[in-house]
Amino acid sequence: RGLGDVYKRQLHQNGRIYQLVRDLSLLPTEGRPLSQGADLAAMWRERAPLYARFRDVEIDNSGTVEDTAAAIWRDFCAHSGS
């Protein structure tokens, strides 16, 4: 058990963890210093395994805000015991 396992347990004690994903070409970079001039694909490849390890659910975020919120709400209701 590593430090990542401790963080994962702490994060999960408060609820489900959602990862919102969309095509890299759709991500805004203005006002985001790490994204400007960076190789976003390389950053994604490096970070994706960690994100996958910590999330409960991956939600597509390439549609409207309403579509994304509805997908989160459906998942939440399905797993909240309500």
Side-chain angles (χ1 to χ4, degrees):
R1 296 202 137 199
L3 190 56
D5 293 319
V6 172
Y7 290 141
K8 185 175 181 178
R9 274 196 321 276
Q10 289 174 343
L11 288 170
H12 282 97
Q13 73 184 358
N14 293 318
R16 293 178 65 74
I17 299 172
Y18 293 91
Q19 179 187 4
L20 306 181
V21 294
R22 68 169 56 170
D23 189 273
L24 293 177
S25 66
L26 299 175
L27 293 175
T29 57
E30 188 173 322
R32 305 182 92 153
L34 290 177
S35 299
Q36 294 176 355
D39 182 348
L40 294 181
M43 287 174 65
W44 173 251
R45 284 190 303 274
E46 181 180 330
R47 296 175 179 184
L50 184 61
Y51 296 154
R53 183 173 163 205
F54 279 82
R55 73 174 181 235
D56 291 306
V57 181
E58 179 181 284
I59 300 286
D60 178 56
N61 189 33
S62 57
T64 66
V65 170
E66 293 80 9
D67 291 341
T68 302
I72 293 168
W73 183 246
R74 281 190 304 272
D75 178 83
F76 175 79
C77 290
H79 294 91
S80 68
S82 301

